[in-house]
Amino acid sequence: MDAWVNMDEVLQSVLFFPQQCRQAWEETKAIILKDKPKDVVVAGMGASAYGYYVLKSLFENKLSVPLLLANDYNLPQFTNEHSLVVCMSFSGNTEEVINILTQAIKKNCQVVVLSTGGKLAEIAQRDNLQNCILKNKYNPSGQPRLACGYTVFSLLGVIRQAGLLDLADSQVNDAIKFLEKEAIFLESDPATKPLLTKMTGKQILLLAAEHLSGNAHIFRNQLNETAKSFSVYSLIPETNHHLLEGLGHPKSNAQTMYLVAFHSQYYYSRNKTRFLLTEKISVQNGINFSIIETKGENTLQESLWLILYSSYLSYQLALINDEDPKKIEWVDYFKKELAAQDA
């Protein structure tokens, strides 16, 4: 870790991902819920919703209650005193999440607030809500999208505390130790430079399935925000029911688009075949592709490894694009203009 002192803040935040995971997992153990909820709604925008996408992809079929995302201004109508509403905003000042928190309080929902402070923490303290203020120790960049360990593991921790997720400390510790080893050798991975070369100057189409679906969402966001490189994603098997017909036009797709597919040894066998056929059809339409072979001894480790690796790829692509990986000038400009409308 001492060797990272001279690295820039963004790269440090990327490599601190394992430490973020461990910190958030431990800090959420202080959360106490009075009743086991009958449904869970996660309120979060942008990077603050990363935990939802990972949780849904990895564990939805193991949860005994419905799990939904509220990434707008309103709480679903069905929520009541038996619902758990998790309000996540890294800054604590996200207006959509604050709006949902206000509604959750009025409806007497069980509420947990996850933030680094701001208005959300103030409301939680005022109303004596379960309030986990994350110490931003391992994110020197200060950017929410580079706090993946905090946003993912704080939500996993809350769901565990609610009695809805059977995830043992030993499983988490093994995964984090695996990540720590991988972080050390991240910059020497021989597959990284050729992949970056192929991605440079292209619009990136990410292809994923099953437990890695949430990773496609995260990588898409990071390519857009960190690398300033346009990206979208599509999921198998849904992709095979429509997207294939859209590859041919505009004809410039063959020159401007590049497919990056996440492969996993744990995919359902039929989906593995679907990936191969989709990649074949992509080439037949003139769109080349690369494969990221995920690493890990189980689906949790694979998903976490891919967050680490994709964060690093996005950082490196920003440098290739001669862009500042920390700044988000257009998002900041938008927020400023939106606030001006209220003045």
Side-chain angles (χ1 to χ4, degrees):
M1 195 176 298
D2 292 340
W4 299 352
V5 172
N6 294 324
M7 295 181 181
D8 70 63
E9 294 175 341
V10 172
L11 182 55
Q12 286 187 62
S13 291
V14 169
L15 297 178
F16 277 146
F17 176 57
Q19 288 76 18
Q20 294 175 10
C21 295
R22 180 179 287 111
Q23 180 190 334
W25 182 251
E26 292 301 321
E27 289 184 2
T28 52
K29 288 182 178 179
I31 292 172
I32 300 174
L33 297 173
K34 60 181 180 179
D35 297 309
K36 191 172 183 177
K38 293 186 177 181
D39 53 76
V40 179
V41 177
V42 179
M45 306 297 298
S48 295
Y50 284 176
Y52 164 81
Y53 289 102
V54 172
L55 177 65
K56 180 178 176 66
S57 300
L58 277 171
F59 299 114
E60 185 178 39
N61 62 346
K62 297 179 182 179
L63 296 178
S64 58
V65 302
L67 172 70
L68 291 94
L69 175 67
N71 57 345
D72 205 325
Y73 288 92
N74 294 305
L75 197 60
Q77 181 63 34
F78 66 80
T79 50
N80 54 36
E81 68 274 15
H82 302 297
S83 303
L84 170 61
V85 179
V86 184
C87 294
M88 175 71 190
S89 167
F90 190 75
S91 68
N93 294 314
T94 306
E95 64 177 53
E96 297 94 332
V97 181
I98 293 172
N99 207 59
I100 287 177
L101 174 58
T102 302
Q103 295 173 34
I105 292 171
K106 289 180 179 179
K107 298 184 75 171
N108 201 32
C109 301
Q110 288 197 86
V111 176
V112 174
V113 172
L114 302 171
S115 70
T116 58
K119 293 180 181 178
L120 278 181
E122 292 175 7
I123 295 171
Q125 290 170 354
R126 182 196 70 196
D127 288 39
N128 197 29
L129 305 174
Q130 290 295 306
N131 182 26
C132 182
I133 300 178
L134 297 163
K135 302 176 183 66
N136 196 26
K137 181 179 179 180
Y138 292 109
N139 180 23
S141 74
Q143 290 295 324
R145 69 183 183 278
L146 297 166
C148 297
Y150 292 138
T151 54
V152 170
F153 268 85
S154 60
L155 181 59
L156 291 182
V158 170
I159 301 304
R160 170 206 56 196
Q161 293 299 101
L164 300 174
L165 181 62
D166 184 17
L167 185 59
D169 280 343
S170 59
Q171 293 173 273
V172 172
N173 290 332
D174 286 346
I176 293 173
K177 289 177 182 177
F178 165 71
L179 286 175
E180 288 173 332
K181 292 179 181 178
E182 289 296 320
I184 294 172
F185 300 105
L186 194 61
E187 295 187 279
S188 60
D189 190 324
T192 300
K193 188 174 181 179
L195 176 57
L196 285 167
T197 299
K198 294 172 182 176
M199 292 172 65
T200 300
K202 301 290 187 179
Q203 298 182 77
I204 307 301
L205 171 60
L206 303 170
L207 193 66
E210 299 176 44
H211 63 286
L212 299 180
S213 298
N215 289 91
H217 183 95
I218 293 173
F219 195 11
R220 185 276 309 272
N221 282 23
Q222 291 181 331
L223 285 170
N224 287 331
E225 280 195 276
T226 302
K228 283 70 180 177
S229 184
F230 184 81
S231 176
V232 295
Y233 71 89
S234 191
L235 304 177
I236 295 289
E238 175 68 19
T239 292
N240 306 132
H241 295 270
H242 57 87
L243 184 136
L244 302 178
E245 296 297 337
L247 296 176
H249 294 277
K251 290 297 183 183
S252 59
N253 282 351
Q255 288 74 46
T256 62
M257 189 178 291
Y258 195 75
L259 175 69
V260 177
F262 304 161
H263 281 203
S264 168
Q265 62 178 313
Y266 303 109
Y267 282 158
Y268 178 57
S269 59
R270 193 69 167 172
N271 280 338
K272 290 180 181 179
T273 302
R274 286 178 176 273
F275 268 87
L276 298 177
L277 289 174
T278 303
E279 291 152 6
K280 179 180 178 180
I281 291 171
S282 179
V283 171
Q284 289 173 340
N285 279 271
I287 301 169
N288 291 321
F289 71 94
S290 288
I291 294 169
I292 295 179
E293 294 284 357
T294 50
K295 301 178 182 180
E297 296 181 356
N298 51 55
T299 56
L300 174 63
Q301 290 187 13
E302 276 198 346
S303 177
L304 297 177
W305 175 85
L306 190 50
I307 293 175
L308 175 66
Y309 188 59
S310 64
S311 299
Y312 180 71
L313 286 174
S314 301
Y315 164 78
Q316 289 293 344
L317 190 57
L319 302 186
I320 292 171
N321 290 342
D322 196 26
E323 295 281 358
D324 185 334
K326 182 177 178 179
K327 290 182 178 179
I328 45 172
E329 294 179 348
W330 287 112
V331 172
D332 287 341
Y333 169 79
F334 178 88
K335 290 179 178 179
K336 182 180 179 181
E337 289 295 304
L338 185 63
Q341 303 300 312
D342 300 326

